[in-house]
Amino acid sequence: MTEPLHPSPAEYTWPERGHRRLIGKRISRVDGPAKVSGKATYTYDVHRPGMLYGKILRSPYAHARIKSIDTSAAEKMPGVKAVHVIQGPGTEIFWAGDEIVAVAAVDEPTAEDAIRSIRVEYEILPHLVIDTDPQRAGDLAKPTAEEVVGDPDAAFQQAEVIVEGEYGLPVITHCCLESHGLVAEWEDEENLLVHISTQAVSSIPNQMARPLGIPAGNIRVKMDHIGGGFGSKFSPDRWGIVAARLSKMAGGRPVKIMLERDAELMVAGARPSAYGRVKVGAKKDGTLLAWESTSWGTGGMGGGGRPPLPYIFEIPNQRKQHTAIMNHIGSARAWRAPNHPQACLLTMAALEDLAAELGMDPLDFFLKNIALTGRRAEIYRQELQIAADLIGWKKHWHPRGDRSRGPIKRGLGLAIHTWGGRGHASNCDLTIHPDGSVEIKLASQDLGTGTRTGITIVAAETLGLPMDRIKVMIGDSRYPPSGPSGGSTTIGGVSSATRRAALDALDQLFAKVAPALNARPEDLEAVQGRIGVKGDPSRSMSWEQACARLGGMPLTVRGRNPGPGHLTGSGVGGVQMADVSVDVETGVVKINKMVAVQDCGLIIDMKTAESQCYGAMIMGIGYALYEEKIMDQLTGRMLNPNMEFYKLAGLGDVGELIVHMMTGPGYDERGVIGLGEPPVISPGAAISNAVANAIGVRVPYLPLTPDRVLEALHKKGGHHATH
Amino acid sequence: MRDHRPSDGRAASLSRREFLKISGLSLSLPVVTDFRVIRVAGAEVKIFGPGKVPVTLNINGKTYTAHLEPRVTLLEALRDAFHLTGAKRVCDRGTCGACTVLMDGRPVYACSVLAIDAQRRSITTVEGLMNEGRLHPIQRAFIDNDAQQCGFCTPGFVVACKAFLDKNPHPTPEDIRKGLGGNFCRCGTYMGIRAAVLQAAGMQKGGASHD
């Protein structure tokens, strides 16, 4: 590898507006043809010679101790190649669906038969799987110390209007369409090859090394495409280690374990619940004075997260206390924008209730208090105005409770959100071959966000080449390490590393060709497939002619993030508004229209950026209206570990959606910032607020199912006010 | 649980495959021969297996043969026996549409058809939609309108859209909302899919849909 030159940091910049040929344009994803034709290979599609199928016997009980395990019938079964007890007699089990025994067999039906033949005796222990009442949790409730900011007692004394309400959202699951899983095979005694559905190609080897007792460098991880992760696929998981063990027991034959749908929903990812009793106070003119919250939630035995309350609005006087409930459900995992959708609902719903009590339009109320949002106040102000125009807020908004005749009530609601999104650590090797071809290697992964496309755009833009001249290779741990795809950090990381690699490579290429053009390297530019002297079109040569001057050796340059120059940033603002109709006779909520106005710094690909926002709104409509991991306290089991009753939003459920990306001065110069998390934060709150505006009462808990809507109408809402 | 009885010996409900085997979904005459006949509720029912039987399928105009247990679904046969992995296994019980293929031109969930029952049918999978290496207009429209993110639901959606447009060549947006309700996407690509269907139907010129 050639050592890069070291230009001054000022040279590592993005092209100025007006000089961007590809960046920020609306470009189709480069792996689109592979995906629409069925040729894109996912982990679930990997088929290796001699491959065995692994299956796992799971605990039917939420809390139990294993008394005995009898695997003798399975071991004798023809076609069964390995049986591995994962948790043996005496082990305490903490959730239904936990792994007990694994088998590997020549085909799936045989593996299923083997699992069925295993006999396990359990001592059943008391369990808790519900989370709506912290009092019932006993020792499993872990309260944190009360936090006080300012003087909440005095502020509530001062407040002219105070509302109190209860709000919450249940545990939901990730429900990745491609379930978790892998194919593990020993290439020899010491080396393991793993095809795995993961958000973290570079960090899987290290996570598998210790349990398997081999160096991380002996583990190679590959993944071309992933069928969804959303925060749930950073670990090899216990079944990943088990697959490697089964493979070893079977003489190194590849073992494929992909979770069945029920296991996927029971154990492979859940978003923590959050509930809270919230009290907020303001002056009559709408000036926010005081916040008080008692909140709780669960993320299984891990206890879950703690929503940052109050969300975004730094109310000067606060008292808040949170209790983590540890209960017997499959463990929580990061779910797009961890803790933010929960904090957003608990805050934005309480503020909207307060605005309603004040008799204020919530848009005016938010604008009145916008300074409390801190350094992004101006972004929110701009976004609120744009969103209001796009949804027709001033025309369609009415005070709480649609007074029109008939059972269909229409309402508007809004919410605002924020997220970090600075680019993660990333290494990129960019190679220019003497024949002019260009290849880029990163051990990154494309979750469907358009990572391959973003890398291609940046390299093509920088090198002055068409996109089809750039070959991007990701998804192999043998490539230079790149960060896990979580927390909206990927696009900032890979685009910055690629930009630095391409700029350095160009510098070195310029040095090789400058003499032939009778110019200094710093006077050259790469545009439209040629390298030439800036401002003098007569002195140039084709890209191929230039690359031929590299001689026999390809030029490889390593680009890194973080690194010199300001290429990625952090901290975005977004606003969403929802227009809903509610049938007060049936309780059914319909989305008429939703608007997302979002900032994410410099946008690499407008088309896939917009897709992130549309997709996040749709996922948000799902958890606002339909999704809930329903746990049965009697049996300790999940009642809906399937896709009939764990409901996702369908194509007909999402209404009209509008996305507006903030670009231009004030946004582009902040650098590239990630977008996966922010737009999924606001939908629950915006839709809940719109429903309250429509029917005149608050439905306290998501999802806003017909029974909850009818119950709220019957009870006349979940909040009350004092003046 | 999928084909999975609780191991503590308590009674399990009827599994999906057992249901398929006795539910009368198998109307065509399978070409396999090793069956026996029993009488159920006064009718004669052919029983295949439980061992492997020869299964011949016509997929994308080609003939494929394998020895499969009668409980093997069409989806498992496509993916595991014939390595046609375009159709995806997701819910595995006829809810999500990710495994949609055409059987005699009509869309079916391949997870809910037994392979032995798919014999003598003409099966088209997403792999069969391309013509001499060229993308089908629906596939082109999916790319143009970014009707995919992770892409796992995409093959099923593409096939469902093909079947939908064959039946409704000039759909309204309302037709699309109703007609494509049998497939789920987790990333949330429905805006792109709606626009792609309109583009493919020739009702909208190419390019981005929602700008």
Side-chain angles (χ1 to χ4, degrees), chain A residues 3 60 79 138 149 316 371 388 426 474 486 545 592 597 647 658 667 678 695:
Chain A
E3 271 303 298
V149 175
S426 177
I474 60 172
Q545 288 168 329
N592 300 320
V597 181
K647 291 184 176 296
I658 294 177
Y667 295 93
I695 65 175

Side-chain angles (χ1 to χ4, degrees), chain A residues 29 35-36 42 44-45 61 108 112-113 116 173-174 262 607 611 615 627 637 644 649 651 655, chain B residues 1-3 8 10 71 79 83 88-90 93 139 144 146 149-151 186-188 190 194:
Chain A
R29 64 183 65 228
K35 287 181 174 176
V36 299
Y42 298 78
Y44 215 141
D45 303 331
Y61 302 113
E108 209 175 342
E112 287 168 353
D113 290 346
R116 267 190 216 106
T173 82
H174 295 70
D262 55 357
K607 189 181 260 190
S611 289
E627 290 181 49
R637 298 190 198 185
E644 299 97 278
L651 186 141
Chain B
M1 286 187 194
R2 185 179 169 282
D3 273 279
D8 55 358
R10 294 187 305 173
R71 59 176 162 170
R79 293 178 52 82
H83 304 168
K88 301 295 187 241
R89 185 162 158 189
V90 176
R93 47 201 271 174
Q139 294 172 314
D144 291 345
D146 207 28
Q149 285 189 36
C150 83
R186 185 47 157 162
C187 302
Y190 299 136
R194 288 180 188 170

Side-chain angles (χ1 to χ4, degrees), chain A residues 253-274:
Chain A
R253 285 175 74 169
V255 172
K256 182 180 201 173
I257 294 183
M258 300 301 298
L259 297 196
E260 300 77 19
R261 182 54 39 184
D262 55 357
E264 179 70 20
L265 296 196
M266 286 190 292
V267 305
R271 183 177 83 177
S273 59

Side-chain angles (χ1 to χ4, degrees), chain A residues 223-503:
Chain A
M223 184 190 73
D224 281 349
H225 296 278
I226 177 173
F230 314 113
S232 68
K233 290 181 177 170
F234 293 113
S235 154
D237 287 307
R238 183 148 55 193
W239 49 83
I241 306 302
V242 163
R245 295 227 161 96
L246 289 169
S247 170
K248 192 96 176 186
M249 293 166 79
R253 285 175 74 169
V255 172
K256 182 180 201 173
I257 294 183
M258 300 301 298
L259 297 196
E260 300 77 19
R261 182 54 39 184
D262 55 357
E264 179 70 20
L265 296 196
M266 286 190 292
V267 305
R271 183 177 83 177
S273 59
Y275 306 89
R277 281 186 286 276
V278 178
K279 184 165 113 176
V280 270
K283 289 192 208 162
K284 273 188 183 148
D285 68 356
T287 306
L288 268 169
L289 292 177
W291 168 277
E292 189 176 291
S293 59
T294 306
S295 54
W296 66 95
T298 189
M301 273 294 137
R306 178 177 184 169
L309 296 172
Y311 191 55
I312 298 184
F313 289 94
E314 287 298 328
I315 300 171
N317 305 286
Q318 308 173 12
R319 175 181 288 111
K320 50 201 182 182
Q321 191 272 325
H322 184 79
T323 298
I325 298 174
M326 298 166 65
N327 69 358
H328 299 96
I329 64 171
S331 293
R333 297 178 180 214
W335 193 100
R336 273 180 111 165
N339 298 321
H340 282 233
Q342 296 93 325
C344 188
L345 176 75
L346 265 56
T347 304
M348 304 298 155
L351 294 185
E352 212 267 355
D353 283 347
L354 180 58
E357 202 57 45
L358 285 160
M360 277 181 86
D361 177 338
L363 176 60
D364 297 334
F365 175 72
F366 274 44
L367 286 168
K368 166 101 186 160
N369 290 287
I370 206 74
L372 295 179
T373 65
R375 64 193 171 93
R376 276 181 293 281
E378 186 49 34
I379 290 176
Y380 288 125
R381 189 193 307 277
Q382 291 177 11
E383 289 178 338
L384 281 164
Q385 303 290 3
I386 291 168
D389 287 346
L390 288 171
I391 207 158
W393 186 277
K394 286 295 169 192
K395 183 172 169 211
H396 297 302
W397 185 83
H398 53 71
R400 181 168 282 199
D402 180 354
R403 308 265 181 257
S404 63
R405 292 164 62 87
I408 308 295
K409 306 298 183 188
R410 187 172 170 189
L412 293 185
L414 64 84
I416 69 175
H417 57 259
T418 187
W419 188 255
R422 183 180 300 282
H424 58 202
S426 177
N427 293 282
C428 161
D429 275 1
L430 186 148
T431 297
I432 300 174
H433 290 280
D435 70 348
S437 58
V438 177
E439 63 183 51
I440 294 175
K441 291 177 179 163
L442 306 86
S444 185
Q445 50 280 319
D446 188 336
L447 271 53
T449 49
T451 304
R452 276 188 182 86
T453 311
I455 294 167
T456 310
I457 289 171
V458 169
E461 176 89 61
T462 309
L463 301 177
L465 294 173
M467 285 174 62
D468 60 11
R469 298 290 301 277
I470 312 289
K471 183 178 179 185
V472 172
M473 288 178 281
I474 60 172
D476 188 332
S477 62
R478 297 269 165 95
Y479 299 154
S482 199
S485 289
S488 302
T489 58
T490 305
I491 189 64
V494 301
S495 66
S496 299
T498 304
R499 175 74 172 165
R500 291 191 180 98
L503 285 170

Side-chain angles (χ1 to χ4, degrees), chain A residues 26 28-29 32-33 35-40 42 44-45 47 53 55-58 60-61 107-110 112-113 115-116 118-120 122 173-178 226-228 230 260-262 266 335 447-448 607-608 610-612 614-616 618-619 627 637 642-644 646 648-652 654-655 657, chain B residues 1-10 15 17 52 69 71-72 76 79-80 83 85-93 95-96 98 126-127 130 133 135 138-140 142-146 148-155 157-158 176-178 180-181 183-191 193-194 207-208 210-211:
Chain A
R26 194 168 264 107
S28 294
R29 64 183 65 228
K35 287 181 174 176
V36 299
S37 61
K39 289 178 181 166
Y42 298 78
Y44 215 141
D45 303 331
H47 193 277
Y53 292 80
K55 291 276 167 191
I56 295 172
L57 175 67
R58 297 177 178 280
Y61 302 113
D107 57 25
E108 209 175 342
T110 305
E112 287 168 353
D113 290 346
I115 285 293
R116 267 190 216 106
I118 296 167
R119 293 289 168 259
V120 181
Y122 297 91
T173 82
H174 295 70
C175 197
C176 305
L177 293 198
E178 181 186 34
I226 177 173
F230 314 113
E260 300 77 19
R261 182 54 39 184
D262 55 357
M266 286 190 292
W335 193 100
L447 271 53
K607 189 181 260 190
T608 51
E610 287 176 344
S611 289
Q612 278 301 298
Y614 287 118
I618 289 169
M619 215 171 196
E627 290 181 49
R637 298 190 198 185
N642 52 57
M643 291 177 71
E644 299 97 278
Y646 188 88
L648 304 182
L651 186 141
V654 301
L657 306 180
Chain B
M1 286 187 194
R2 185 179 169 282
D3 273 279
H4 186 137
R5 290 184 189 112
S7 59
D8 55 358
R10 294 187 305 173
S15 79
R17 284 200 187 83
K52 290 182 180 180
E69 289 184 36
R71 59 176 162 170
V72 169
E76 288 162 335
R79 293 178 52 82
D80 296 335
H83 304 168
T85 55
K88 301 295 187 241
R89 185 162 158 189
V90 176
C91 73
D92 212 21
R93 47 201 271 174
T95 304
C96 76
V126 70
E127 288 93 342
M130 286 175 76
L135 292 171
I138 291 167
Q139 294 172 314
R140 190 74 251 165
F142 264 63
I143 297 170
D144 291 345
N145 296 282
D146 207 28
Q148 69 222 309
Q149 285 189 36
C150 83
F152 210 68
C153 73
T154 307
F157 251 119
V158 166
I176 293 170
R177 279 195 283 275
K178 286 190 175 150
L180 290 169
N183 293 62
F184 284 119
C185 169
R186 185 47 157 162
C187 302
T189 58
Y190 299 136
M191 296 300 285
I193 293 168
R194 288 180 188 170
H210 30 250
D211 51 9

Side-chain angles (χ1 to χ4, degrees), chain A residues 94-111:
Chain A
F94 292 99
W95 57 85
D98 200 9
E99 296 85 23
I100 312 292
V101 183
V103 304
V106 290
D107 57 25
E108 209 175 342
T110 305

